[in-house]
Every structure is written in C-alpha cells, then in structure tokens.
Amino acid sequence: MQHGETHLKSSDFISDIVIGMSDGLTVPFALAAGLSSAVQSNGLIITAGIAEIIAGSIAMGLGGYLAGRTAMDHYKSELAREFQETVDFPEKEKEEVRDIFEKMGLSPQTQQQAVEELSQDKDKWVKFMMKYELELEEPDKSKARKSAFNIGLSYIVGGAIPMLSYVFTSNPDTGFKFSFAVTVVCLLVFGFFKSKLTGQQPIIGALKVMAIGVIAAMSAYFLVRLFN
Amino acid sequence: MQHGETHLKSSDFISDIVIGMSDGLTVPFALAAGLSSAVQSNGLIITAGIAEIIAGSIAMGLGGYLAGRTAMDHYKSELAREFQETVDFPEKEKEEVRDIFEKMGLSPQTQQQAVEELSQDKDKWVKFMMKYELELEEPDKSKARKSAFNIGLSYIVGGAIPMLSYVFTSNPDTGFKFSFAVTVVCLLVFGFFKSKLTGQQPIIGALKVMAIGVIAAMSAYFLVRLFN
C-alpha cells in the first residue's frame, strides 16, 4: 500500500508536468505563428509571448488552485448536509440508498438487507451517500495546490519552447520555421507521454496533441494575415 | 422526464457559453494588458489579440472535441474488455464485485447474495463493473461535440470583449483603462452565472473569477514592463 501510494504521487507529479507542458506549447506557439505573419520584428513576438505565458500560467495555476479550494468547500458542506438529513429524514435517506441498490440490479430482498446494514452505522451511511448518490470523493487539498503549481510552472516551460526560436533568429519568417519544427517534435513527445499517463493509445494521442497545435498555429497564421 | 431533459439541455448550453466566455475574457485581457505596457500602437495589440483568440478557441474547442472522442473510444474498449473478463475469469470478476460491496460496508452474507444476483445477468454485471470498479459512465458523443463547439465559440466572444476597447481608442494607455473597466464588470457577471451553474456561492465565485483575471492582467502588465 505504501509503495503504491509513493508510485501514485510520483506519477501525479509527472502527469501534471506533461499536461502543463503540452498545453503550454500549443497557445504560445500559435500566437507566435499568427504574429509572424503580421509583424516585422522578433522583439514584438517575444513580448507578446511573454505576456501570454504569464497570463496563461496564472489563469491555469491560480484557476486550478481556486477550483480545488471550491471543491473542498463543496465537499464539506454536502457532507454536513447529508449527515443532517440522516438525522432529520432517515426514512427518505433510506429510500435513496434503496434506489441506488435497485439501479445496480439487486433483488428487493437484498436491497432491504443492504439498506438496513448501512443505516446502522451513520458514518458508513453518509460516506455511501456522498460517493454513490452525489458521486463526490473527498478532494485532497494539498494535492490540488501542488498540482496547480506544477501545471502552471510547466505551462511556462512549455510556452518557452516555441518562443526560444524567435530569440535565436533575426526575423519572424526564420523564427517561425524553427519554432514550427521544434514545437512539432515537442508536441509529439509530450503528447506521447500525456496519452500514456491518461491511458490512451500513445501514438494516436501524440498525433492528436500535435494536430491541435499545428491546426491552431496554421489557423492563426493565415487568419491574422487575412485580417491585416 | 421529457421536461427534465429539455431543462438539462438548455442548462448545458448556457453552462458551456458562460464557461467559454469567462475563460475567454481572462487570457486575451491579460495579454492585451501586458502588451499595453510595452508597445505604442493599438494595432499590434489587436493583431496579437486576434492571434490569441484563434489559438485559444481552437485549442479549447478542438481539444475538447478530441478529448470527448477519446473518452468514447476508451469507454468502448473497456466495456469489451470487462465483458470478455466475465467470460474468461468469472470467479475473479465476482471477487471484484464482492470487494466493492465490502467497501460499501455490507455484511459478508449480503455481499455474497448481491454478487450472485448480479452475476446472473451479464449486462447488469458488466454495467456494474464499468460504473463502480472503473468509475466510467458512457460518454455522450454528440453532447461532447456540441459542448466543444459552444465553448470554443464563446471563447471568441469572451476574448473580443477586452479587445474592443483597443479598437475604439487611439493609444494603448487609454485602451487598457477602458478594457480593464469593461472586463472587470464582465468577469464579475460571468463569474456570478458560472458559479450559479456549477453550484458555488455566486458572489464569492464572481469575485474569484474577477480576481484571476485581474491578477493575470496586472502580472502581465508589470512583468512585461520589467522584461523590456
């Protein structure tokens, strides 16, 4: 069990990093591509890229952190409410438990037996209602905070990858070509690992992550040119 | 039931719109704020804003659509695998069902009875394993597609709000002031409805959505100035 938990933590960490990076690669990459078709200086593209990376990482990181806190508050208030309901309306709550067992496909006799057993232990009863009626699991607050931080930080690293080509080249055309080549490779690599971690087919997943980035970048490139 | 479903569909639609808009407001707003501290022309800010809105809406919309398709494929392959397992290893699968009832807090006798009942109907049995062992519900493909489209489109509308101030003013300083005022009001309004739809405290939720946008914009504004 302890070994299992350690494994899970390390995999959560890697999962956050890979998700943040593959998302971070997409939008700054496409933003830079769009600007490449409209401006003459790499400096402007880099400035816009920095602004986007700051904006995106804060929106993702802070947004994720606050969503985690909200989920915790929601869980606590629902837990208190369910507990009070087993005190105030025990028959109604028993009926709700019975409904759940009925939907599982158990016979009326087994339903009745299961309801009686659960309602003898208030903690078990409330825990059951939280999980199977409300489908709420107790959120892990420190995990949500760490996760938000890791995703936000990885977004910055991922976003830096398509921008670096504009730092080391002298004009947007050349910058875009290098940025495109480097980012496509990185999208494939991160898409591969992201798919492995989320249980998808890695090759198909890698191609999908790459396709989203390339379609976003090409659309931005041609539509910005059209608007100008 | 029919009334209930109609209600749910309309609320899903509104929920997608509000989520897309409040997210769309945040990053383009902060990007424009960051650029306001560095460039002298509104034209550049608008160009960058258009590129960001295209990139963000495609990443969100197409990303959401492909994630929905992946979830569907994943569900189908797991369903086929679980079905095969009830054929190949019925005793092992029965043991897994028993474990789930044990964790719910039922007595060994009731566990045994429930396992026997479920394993007599293969469809019920597999459906039970999908929901309670793998915690997978059958995804709604057309809903995922519509939802991705609506979120992507609302992201464009939300993103246009902070950018319009730069269209109707003559320099980045004035543009930023108007953009800030308009976007803060919109973030509060959309945050309020977003919180109502996701079951949070609307006032606190509105303030959180607004705070994320303002912190992202102010960070972009001051950090871009620092980098330049």
Side-chain angles (χ1 to χ4, degrees), chain B residues 92-131:
Chain B
K92 194 180 145 279
E93 290 301 300
K94 279 186 190 174
E95 209 44 59
E96 288 176 1
V97 173
R98 192 199 316 279
D99 281 350
I100 293 166
F101 284 120
E102 194 185 342
K103 275 187 199 130
M104 284 178 191
L106 301 184
S107 69
Q109 194 212 332
T110 311
Q111 289 168 34
Q112 183 59 30
Q113 220 169 298
V115 170
E116 288 310 322
E117 283 175 17
L118 275 183
S119 59
Q120 267 154 36
D121 181 333
K122 216 150 248 184
D123 281 333
K124 266 188 199 169
W125 187 6
V126 172
K127 209 182 122 197
F128 180 88
M129 295 305 290
M130 290 299 287
K131 183 159 179 186

mmCIF file of all heavy atoms in Angstrom, chain B residues 92-131:
data_model
loop_
_atom_site.group_PDB
_atom_site.id
_atom_site.type_symbol
_atom_site.label_atom_id
_atom_site.label_comp_id
_atom_site.label_asym_id
_atom_site.label_seq_id
_atom_site.Cartn_x
_atom_site.Cartn_y
_atom_site.Cartn_z
ATOM 1 N N LYS B 92 -12.786 -14.401 -10.691
ATOM 2 C CA LYS B 92 -12.004 -13.203 -10.359
ATOM 3 C C LYS B 92 -12.905 -11.954 -10.418
ATOM 4 O O LYS B 92 -12.842 -11.081 -9.555
ATOM 5 C CB LYS B 92 -10.842 -13.065 -11.358
ATOM 6 C CG LYS B 92 -9.778 -12.074 -10.935
ATOM 7 C CD LYS B 92 -8.660 -11.989 -11.961
ATOM 8 C CE LYS B 92 -8.112 -10.584 -12.052
ATOM 9 N NZ LYS B 92 -8.907 -9.661 -12.889
ATOM 10 N N GLU B 93 -13.769 -11.900 -11.422
ATOM 11 C CA GLU B 93 -14.669 -10.746 -11.572
ATOM 12 C C GLU B 93 -15.695 -10.706 -10.437
ATOM 13 O O GLU B 93 -16.047 -9.640 -9.952
ATOM 14 C CB GLU B 93 -15.376 -10.790 -12.931
ATOM 15 C CG GLU B 93 -14.473 -10.510 -14.116
ATOM 16 C CD GLU B 93 -13.797 -9.160 -14.055
ATOM 17 O OE1 GLU B 93 -14.513 -8.141 -14.012
ATOM 18 O OE2 GLU B 93 -12.549 -9.122 -14.027
ATOM 19 N N LYS B 94 -16.185 -11.899 -10.032
ATOM 20 C CA LYS B 94 -17.111 -11.967 -8.894
ATOM 21 C C LYS B 94 -16.433 -11.444 -7.632
ATOM 22 O O LYS B 94 -17.047 -10.753 -6.824
ATOM 23 C CB LYS B 94 -17.573 -13.416 -8.662
ATOM 24 C CG LYS B 94 -18.693 -13.860 -9.598
ATOM 25 C CD LYS B 94 -19.178 -15.248 -9.199
ATOM 26 C CE LYS B 94 -20.119 -15.818 -10.257
ATOM 27 N NZ LYS B 94 -20.476 -17.217 -9.949
ATOM 28 N N GLU B 95 -15.135 -11.790 -7.498
ATOM 29 C CA GLU B 95 -14.374 -11.341 -6.328
ATOM 30 C C GLU B 95 -14.284 -9.806 -6.312
ATOM 31 O O GLU B 95 -14.395 -9.180 -5.265
ATOM 32 C CB GLU B 95 -12.969 -11.967 -6.395
ATOM 33 C CG GLU B 95 -12.301 -12.211 -5.057
ATOM 34 C CD GLU B 95 -13.257 -12.809 -4.035
ATOM 35 O OE1 GLU B 95 -13.826 -13.905 -4.258
ATOM 36 O OE2 GLU B 95 -13.453 -12.158 -2.993
ATOM 37 N N GLU B 96 -14.116 -9.221 -7.503
ATOM 38 C CA GLU B 96 -14.029 -7.755 -7.597
ATOM 39 C C GLU B 96 -15.352 -7.107 -7.223
ATOM 40 O O GLU B 96 -15.379 -6.060 -6.576
ATOM 41 C CB GLU B 96 -13.602 -7.350 -9.021
ATOM 42 C CG GLU B 96 -12.140 -7.668 -9.314
ATOM 43 C CD GLU B 96 -11.696 -7.369 -10.743
ATOM 44 O OE1 GLU B 96 -12.534 -6.882 -11.536
ATOM 45 O OE2 GLU B 96 -10.537 -7.626 -11.061
ATOM 46 N N VAL B 97 -16.468 -7.723 -7.647
ATOM 47 C CA VAL B 97 -17.786 -7.201 -7.266
ATOM 48 C C VAL B 97 -17.953 -7.279 -5.748
ATOM 49 O O VAL B 97 -18.397 -6.327 -5.097
ATOM 50 C CB VAL B 97 -18.915 -7.996 -7.966
ATOM 51 C CG1 VAL B 97 -20.275 -7.558 -7.433
ATOM 52 C CG2 VAL B 97 -18.855 -7.820 -9.481
ATOM 53 N N ARG B 98 -17.522 -8.418 -5.182
ATOM 54 C CA ARG B 98 -17.630 -8.600 -3.728
ATOM 55 C C ARG B 98 -16.825 -7.522 -3.002
ATOM 56 O O ARG B 98 -17.280 -6.948 -2.006
ATOM 57 C CB ARG B 98 -17.143 -9.990 -3.338
ATOM 58 C CG ARG B 98 -17.488 -10.383 -1.892
ATOM 59 C CD ARG B 98 -16.639 -11.531 -1.384
ATOM 60 N NE ARG B 98 -16.501 -12.580 -2.378
ATOM 61 C CZ ARG B 98 -17.419 -13.524 -2.616
ATOM 62 N NH1 ARG B 98 -18.515 -13.566 -1.904
ATOM 63 N NH2 ARG B 98 -17.233 -14.418 -3.569
ATOM 64 N N ASP B 99 -15.598 -7.232 -3.497
ATOM 65 C CA ASP B 99 -14.750 -6.198 -2.885
ATOM 66 C C ASP B 99 -15.476 -4.863 -2.823
ATOM 67 O O ASP B 99 -15.380 -4.122 -1.838
ATOM 68 C CB ASP B 99 -13.469 -5.997 -3.713
ATOM 69 C CG ASP B 99 -12.440 -7.090 -3.438
ATOM 70 O OD1 ASP B 99 -12.651 -7.859 -2.481
ATOM 71 O OD2 ASP B 99 -11.449 -7.163 -4.189
ATOM 72 N N ILE B 100 -16.190 -4.527 -3.912
ATOM 73 C CA ILE B 100 -16.887 -3.237 -3.969
ATOM 74 C C ILE B 100 -17.985 -3.193 -2.899
ATOM 75 O O ILE B 100 -18.099 -2.211 -2.157
ATOM 76 C CB ILE B 100 -17.459 -2.993 -5.382
ATOM 77 C CG1 ILE B 100 -16.303 -2.824 -6.382
ATOM 78 C CG2 ILE B 100 -18.350 -1.746 -5.404
ATOM 79 C CD1 ILE B 100 -16.713 -2.924 -7.838
ATOM 80 N N PHE B 101 -18.741 -4.280 -2.778
ATOM 81 C CA PHE B 101 -19.801 -4.315 -1.758
ATOM 82 C C PHE B 101 -19.207 -4.328 -0.349
ATOM 83 O O PHE B 101 -19.792 -3.780 0.578
ATOM 84 C CB PHE B 101 -20.718 -5.529 -1.976
ATOM 85 C CG PHE B 101 -21.674 -5.355 -3.122
ATOM 86 C CD1 PHE B 101 -21.660 -6.217 -4.214
ATOM 87 C CD2 PHE B 101 -22.605 -4.310 -3.119
ATOM 88 C CE1 PHE B 101 -22.538 -6.051 -5.274
ATOM 89 C CE2 PHE B 101 -23.479 -4.132 -4.184
ATOM 90 C CZ PHE B 101 -23.453 -5.004 -5.266
ATOM 91 N N GLU B 102 -18.022 -4.938 -0.209
ATOM 92 C CA GLU B 102 -17.375 -4.968 1.098
ATOM 93 C C GLU B 102 -16.980 -3.547 1.509
ATOM 94 O O GLU B 102 -17.193 -3.136 2.643
ATOM 95 C CB GLU B 102 -16.136 -5.864 1.032
ATOM 96 C CG GLU B 102 -15.599 -6.223 2.414
ATOM 97 C CD GLU B 102 -14.301 -7.008 2.352
ATOM 98 O OE1 GLU B 102 -13.979 -7.569 1.283
ATOM 99 O OE2 GLU B 102 -13.613 -7.044 3.382
ATOM 100 N N LYS B 103 -16.424 -2.802 0.532
ATOM 101 C CA LYS B 103 -16.011 -1.416 0.821
ATOM 102 C C LYS B 103 -17.204 -0.529 1.146
ATOM 103 O O LYS B 103 -17.086 0.448 1.867
ATOM 104 C CB LYS B 103 -15.238 -0.850 -0.365
ATOM 105 C CG LYS B 103 -13.774 -1.210 -0.302
ATOM 106 C CD LYS B 103 -12.964 -0.507 -1.387
ATOM 107 C CE LYS B 103 -11.634 -1.217 -1.590
ATOM 108 N NZ LYS B 103 -11.358 -1.523 -3.002
ATOM 109 N N MET B 104 -18.384 -0.862 0.578
ATOM 110 C CA MET B 104 -19.592 -0.102 0.898
ATOM 111 C C MET B 104 -19.997 -0.323 2.352
ATOM 112 O O MET B 104 -20.725 0.480 2.912
ATOM 113 C CB MET B 104 -20.748 -0.551 0.005
ATOM 114 C CG MET B 104 -20.678 -0.040 -1.420
ATOM 115 S SD MET B 104 -22.074 -0.691 -2.370
ATOM 116 C CE MET B 104 -21.567 -0.216 -4.022
ATOM 117 N N GLY B 105 -19.548 -1.431 2.932
ATOM 118 C CA GLY B 105 -19.849 -1.700 4.336
ATOM 119 C C GLY B 105 -20.918 -2.765 4.543
ATOM 120 O O GLY B 105 -21.516 -2.844 5.614
ATOM 121 N N LEU B 106 -21.174 -3.602 3.520
ATOM 122 C CA LEU B 106 -22.187 -4.653 3.674
ATOM 123 C C LEU B 106 -21.585 -5.887 4.355
ATOM 124 O O LEU B 106 -20.374 -6.116 4.292
ATOM 125 C CB LEU B 106 -22.757 -5.039 2.303
ATOM 126 C CG LEU B 106 -23.412 -3.908 1.506
ATOM 127 C CD1 LEU B 106 -24.015 -4.455 0.221
ATOM 128 C CD2 LEU B 106 -24.487 -3.191 2.318
ATOM 129 N N SER B 107 -22.457 -6.684 4.989
ATOM 130 C CA SER B 107 -22.009 -7.900 5.674
ATOM 131 C C SER B 107 -21.632 -8.961 4.636
ATOM 132 O O SER B 107 -22.122 -8.928 3.504
ATOM 133 C CB SER B 107 -23.133 -8.436 6.550
ATOM 134 O OG SER B 107 -24.181 -8.931 5.729
ATOM 135 N N PRO B 108 -20.763 -9.929 5.000
ATOM 136 C CA PRO B 108 -20.356 -10.974 4.049
ATOM 137 C C PRO B 108 -21.560 -11.677 3.425
ATOM 138 O O PRO B 108 -21.550 -11.992 2.226
ATOM 139 C CB PRO B 108 -19.532 -11.932 4.916
ATOM 140 C CG PRO B 108 -18.996 -11.080 6.009
ATOM 141 C CD PRO B 108 -20.054 -10.055 6.294
ATOM 142 N N GLN B 109 -22.606 -11.907 4.220
ATOM 143 C CA GLN B 109 -23.769 -12.616 3.684
ATOM 144 C C GLN B 109 -24.459 -11.802 2.576
ATOM 145 O O GLN B 109 -24.784 -12.334 1.509
ATOM 146 C CB GLN B 109 -24.741 -12.900 4.827
ATOM 147 C CG GLN B 109 -25.809 -13.928 4.461
ATOM 148 C CD GLN B 109 -27.115 -13.644 5.185
ATOM 149 O OE1 GLN B 109 -27.108 -13.064 6.274
ATOM 150 N NE2 GLN B 109 -28.233 -14.042 4.589
ATOM 151 N N THR B 110 -24.666 -10.507 2.847
ATOM 152 C CA THR B 110 -25.307 -9.645 1.846
ATOM 153 C C THR B 110 -24.413 -9.473 0.613
ATOM 154 O O THR B 110 -24.891 -9.448 -0.517
ATOM 155 C CB THR B 110 -25.644 -8.266 2.460
ATOM 156 O OG1 THR B 110 -26.319 -8.481 3.691
ATOM 157 C CG2 THR B 110 -26.532 -7.444 1.548
ATOM 158 N N GLN B 111 -23.100 -9.365 0.852
ATOM 159 C CA GLN B 111 -22.147 -9.289 -0.274
ATOM 160 C C GLN B 111 -22.339 -10.479 -1.210
ATOM 161 O O GLN B 111 -22.486 -10.329 -2.416
ATOM 162 C CB GLN B 111 -20.693 -9.348 0.224
ATOM 163 C CG GLN B 111 -20.182 -8.138 0.965
ATOM 164 C CD GLN B 111 -18.851 -8.441 1.653
ATOM 165 O OE1 GLN B 111 -18.033 -9.213 1.160
ATOM 166 N NE2 GLN B 111 -18.628 -7.851 2.807
ATOM 167 N N GLN B 112 -22.363 -11.692 -0.599
ATOM 168 C CA GLN B 112 -22.463 -12.930 -1.358
ATOM 169 C C GLN B 112 -23.754 -12.944 -2.193
ATOM 170 O O GLN B 112 -23.739 -13.259 -3.391
ATOM 171 C CB GLN B 112 -22.445 -14.113 -0.376
ATOM 172 C CG GLN B 112 -22.480 -15.481 -1.048
ATOM 173 C CD GLN B 112 -21.293 -15.676 -1.999
ATOM 174 O OE1 GLN B 112 -20.212 -15.122 -1.786
ATOM 175 N NE2 GLN B 112 -21.521 -16.435 -3.063
ATOM 176 N N GLN B 113 -24.844 -12.540 -1.516
ATOM 177 C CA GLN B 113 -26.159 -12.534 -2.170
ATOM 178 C C GLN B 113 -26.155 -11.567 -3.367
ATOM 179 O O GLN B 113 -26.612 -11.905 -4.456
ATOM 180 C CB GLN B 113 -27.154 -12.019 -1.142
ATOM 181 C CG GLN B 113 -28.474 -12.713 -1.111
ATOM 182 C CD GLN B 113 -29.234 -12.261 0.143
ATOM 183 O OE1 GLN B 113 -28.773 -12.487 1.276
ATOM 184 N NE2 GLN B 113 -30.360 -11.610 -0.062
ATOM 185 N N ALA B 114 -25.599 -10.370 -3.137
ATOM 186 C CA ALA B 114 -25.567 -9.350 -4.186
ATOM 187 C C ALA B 114 -24.717 -9.823 -5.366
ATOM 188 O O ALA B 114 -25.090 -9.641 -6.527
ATOM 189 C CB ALA B 114 -25.026 -8.041 -3.623
ATOM 190 N N VAL B 115 -23.572 -10.452 -5.066
ATOM 191 C CA VAL B 115 -22.688 -10.957 -6.119
ATOM 192 C C VAL B 115 -23.413 -12.011 -6.954
ATOM 193 O O VAL B 115 -23.379 -11.961 -8.194
ATOM 194 C CB VAL B 115 -21.392 -11.562 -5.514
ATOM 195 C CG1 VAL B 115 -20.596 -12.310 -6.582
ATOM 196 C CG2 VAL B 115 -20.546 -10.478 -4.880
ATOM 197 N N GLU B 116 -24.115 -12.935 -6.284
ATOM 198 C CA GLU B 116 -24.821 -13.998 -7.013
ATOM 199 C C GLU B 116 -25.886 -13.400 -7.932
ATOM 200 O O GLU B 116 -26.031 -13.806 -9.082
ATOM 201 C CB GLU B 116 -25.455 -15.002 -6.036
ATOM 202 C CG GLU B 116 -24.451 -15.904 -5.327
ATOM 203 C CD GLU B 116 -23.471 -16.574 -6.294
ATOM 204 O OE1 GLU B 116 -23.886 -16.957 -7.406
ATOM 205 O OE2 GLU B 116 -22.284 -16.702 -5.926
ATOM 206 N N GLU B 117 -26.613 -12.406 -7.414
ATOM 207 C CA GLU B 117 -27.685 -11.796 -8.216
ATOM 208 C C GLU B 117 -27.132 -11.083 -9.452
ATOM 209 O O GLU B 117 -27.643 -11.249 -10.555
ATOM 210 C CB GLU B 117 -28.487 -10.809 -7.366
ATOM 211 C CG GLU B 117 -29.463 -11.508 -6.421
ATOM 212 C CD GLU B 117 -30.182 -10.549 -5.496
ATOM 213 O OE1 GLU B 117 -30.180 -9.330 -5.795
ATOM 214 O OE2 GLU B 117 -30.725 -11.010 -4.493
ATOM 215 N N LEU B 118 -26.085 -10.300 -9.226
ATOM 216 C CA LEU B 118 -25.529 -9.520 -10.356
ATOM 217 C C LEU B 118 -24.940 -10.430 -11.423
ATOM 218 O O LEU B 118 -25.107 -10.180 -12.623
ATOM 219 C CB LEU B 118 -24.441 -8.570 -9.867
ATOM 220 C CG LEU B 118 -24.895 -7.229 -9.340
ATOM 221 C CD1 LEU B 118 -23.683 -6.389 -8.956
ATOM 222 C CD2 LEU B 118 -25.709 -6.475 -10.393
ATOM 223 N N SER B 119 -24.254 -11.505 -10.988
ATOM 224 C CA SER B 119 -23.528 -12.328 -11.961
ATOM 225 C C SER B 119 -24.470 -13.228 -12.775
ATOM 226 O O SER B 119 -24.030 -13.892 -13.704
ATOM 227 C CB SER B 119 -22.441 -13.154 -11.268
ATOM 228 O OG SER B 119 -23.034 -13.978 -10.284
ATOM 229 N N GLN B 120 -25.770 -13.207 -12.434
ATOM 230 C CA GLN B 120 -26.718 -13.991 -13.244
ATOM 231 C C GLN B 120 -27.117 -13.265 -14.527
ATOM 232 O O GLN B 120 -27.642 -13.866 -15.451
ATOM 233 C CB GLN B 120 -27.969 -14.322 -12.417
ATOM 234 C CG GLN B 120 -27.840 -15.682 -11.734
ATOM 235 C CD GLN B 120 -28.683 -15.742 -10.486
ATOM 236 O OE1 GLN B 120 -29.762 -15.168 -10.460
ATOM 237 N NE2 GLN B 120 -28.199 -16.419 -9.475
ATOM 238 N N ASP B 121 -26.884 -11.948 -14.559
ATOM 239 C CA ASP B 121 -27.253 -11.164 -15.746
ATOM 240 C C ASP B 121 -25.999 -10.439 -16.229
ATOM 241 O O ASP B 121 -25.550 -9.473 -15.617
ATOM 242 C CB ASP B 121 -28.362 -10.166 -15.371
ATOM 243 C CG ASP B 121 -28.826 -9.339 -16.559
ATOM 244 O OD1 ASP B 121 -28.031 -9.139 -17.506
ATOM 245 O OD2 ASP B 121 -29.981 -8.887 -16.537
ATOM 246 N N LYS B 122 -25.427 -10.942 -17.341
ATOM 247 C CA LYS B 122 -24.127 -10.441 -17.784
ATOM 248 C C LYS B 122 -24.143 -8.929 -18.069
ATOM 249 O O LYS B 122 -23.166 -8.238 -17.794
ATOM 250 C CB LYS B 122 -23.650 -11.221 -19.011
ATOM 251 C CG LYS B 122 -22.155 -11.418 -18.990
ATOM 252 C CD LYS B 122 -21.716 -12.690 -19.672
ATOM 253 C CE LYS B 122 -21.148 -13.680 -18.662
ATOM 254 N NZ LYS B 122 -20.624 -14.889 -19.301
ATOM 255 N N ASP B 123 -25.240 -8.426 -18.642
ATOM 256 C CA ASP B 123 -25.317 -6.994 -18.950
ATOM 257 C C ASP B 123 -25.260 -6.147 -17.683
ATOM 258 O O ASP B 123 -24.511 -5.175 -17.602
ATOM 259 C CB ASP B 123 -26.598 -6.687 -19.740
ATOM 260 C CG ASP B 123 -26.451 -7.065 -21.209
ATOM 261 O OD1 ASP B 123 -25.292 -7.050 -21.696
ATOM 262 O OD2 ASP B 123 -27.463 -7.384 -21.852
ATOM 263 N N LYS B 124 -26.088 -6.550 -16.712
ATOM 264 C CA LYS B 124 -26.088 -5.867 -15.407
ATOM 265 C C LYS B 124 -24.711 -5.916 -14.762
ATOM 266 O O LYS B 124 -24.213 -4.950 -14.194
ATOM 267 C CB LYS B 124 -27.063 -6.590 -14.461
ATOM 268 C CG LYS B 124 -28.469 -6.030 -14.419
ATOM 269 C CD LYS B 124 -29.231 -6.721 -13.308
ATOM 270 C CE LYS B 124 -30.730 -6.580 -13.456
ATOM 271 N NZ LYS B 124 -31.438 -7.468 -12.512
ATOM 272 N N TRP B 125 -24.100 -7.112 -14.828
ATOM 273 C CA TRP B 125 -22.808 -7.372 -14.200
ATOM 274 C C TRP B 125 -21.734 -6.439 -14.780
ATOM 275 O O TRP B 125 -21.020 -5.739 -14.069
ATOM 276 C CB TRP B 125 -22.464 -8.852 -14.419
ATOM 277 C CG TRP B 125 -21.248 -9.379 -13.718
ATOM 278 C CD1 TRP B 125 -20.459 -8.728 -12.820
ATOM 279 C CD2 TRP B 125 -20.705 -10.692 -13.858
ATOM 280 N NE1 TRP B 125 -19.462 -9.554 -12.390
ATOM 281 C CE2 TRP B 125 -19.580 -10.761 -13.007
ATOM 282 C CE3 TRP B 125 -21.054 -11.806 -14.611
ATOM 283 C CZ2 TRP B 125 -18.804 -11.914 -12.901
ATOM 284 C CZ3 TRP B 125 -20.279 -12.957 -14.501
ATOM 285 C CH2 TRP B 125 -19.170 -13.008 -13.653
ATOM 286 N N VAL B 126 -21.658 -6.433 -16.132
ATOM 287 C CA VAL B 126 -20.650 -5.614 -16.809
ATOM 288 C C VAL B 126 -20.919 -4.125 -16.558
ATOM 289 O O VAL B 126 -19.993 -3.354 -16.289
ATOM 290 C CB VAL B 126 -20.623 -5.930 -18.332
ATOM 291 C CG1 VAL B 126 -19.735 -4.948 -19.073
ATOM 292 C CG2 VAL B 126 -20.153 -7.359 -18.564
ATOM 293 N N LYS B 127 -22.183 -3.736 -16.612
ATOM 294 C CA LYS B 127 -22.554 -2.334 -16.359
ATOM 295 C C LYS B 127 -22.116 -1.917 -14.944
ATOM 296 O O LYS B 127 -21.604 -0.810 -14.730
ATOM 297 C CB LYS B 127 -24.079 -2.180 -16.502
ATOM 298 C CG LYS B 127 -24.547 -0.797 -16.954
ATOM 299 C CD LYS B 127 -26.065 -0.732 -17.029
ATOM 300 C CE LYS B 127 -26.598 0.370 -16.140
ATOM 301 N NZ LYS B 127 -28.041 0.238 -15.851
ATOM 302 N N PHE B 128 -22.303 -2.848 -13.992
ATOM 303 C CA PHE B 128 -21.899 -2.589 -12.610
ATOM 304 C C PHE B 128 -20.391 -2.391 -12.519
ATOM 305 O O PHE B 128 -19.908 -1.455 -11.889
ATOM 306 C CB PHE B 128 -22.338 -3.753 -11.713
ATOM 307 C CG PHE B 128 -21.961 -3.580 -10.273
ATOM 308 C CD1 PHE B 128 -22.819 -2.916 -9.397
ATOM 309 C CD2 PHE B 128 -20.758 -4.075 -9.783
ATOM 310 C CE1 PHE B 128 -22.469 -2.753 -8.065
ATOM 311 C CE2 PHE B 128 -20.404 -3.896 -8.456
ATOM 312 C CZ PHE B 128 -21.258 -3.239 -7.595
ATOM 313 N N MET B 129 -19.631 -3.265 -13.173
ATOM 314 C CA MET B 129 -18.167 -3.176 -13.137
ATOM 315 C C MET B 129 -17.687 -1.861 -13.769
ATOM 316 O O MET B 129 -16.762 -1.233 -13.275
ATOM 317 C CB MET B 129 -17.529 -4.355 -13.881
ATOM 318 C CG MET B 129 -17.775 -5.722 -13.273
ATOM 319 S SD MET B 129 -17.291 -5.830 -11.540
ATOM 320 C CE MET B 129 -15.509 -5.737 -11.690
ATOM 321 N N MET B 130 -18.316 -1.477 -14.880
ATOM 322 C CA MET B 130 -17.934 -0.227 -15.563
ATOM 323 C C MET B 130 -18.120 0.960 -14.625
ATOM 324 O O MET B 130 -17.276 1.824 -14.518
ATOM 325 C CB MET B 130 -18.787 -0.024 -16.818
ATOM 326 C CG MET B 130 -18.501 -0.993 -17.957
ATOM 327 S SD MET B 130 -16.821 -0.900 -18.584
ATOM 328 C CE MET B 130 -16.881 0.661 -19.486
ATOM 329 N N LYS B 131 -19.264 0.977 -13.958
ATOM 330 C CA LYS B 131 -19.593 2.149 -13.148
ATOM 331 C C LYS B 131 -18.871 2.155 -11.800
ATOM 332 O O LYS B 131 -18.350 3.178 -11.377
ATOM 333 C CB LYS B 131 -21.108 2.217 -12.942
ATOM 334 C CG LYS B 131 -21.532 3.445 -12.167
ATOM 335 C CD LYS B 131 -22.969 3.811 -12.374
ATOM 336 C CE LYS B 131 -23.325 5.030 -11.547
ATOM 337 N NZ LYS B 131 -24.740 5.344 -11.605
#
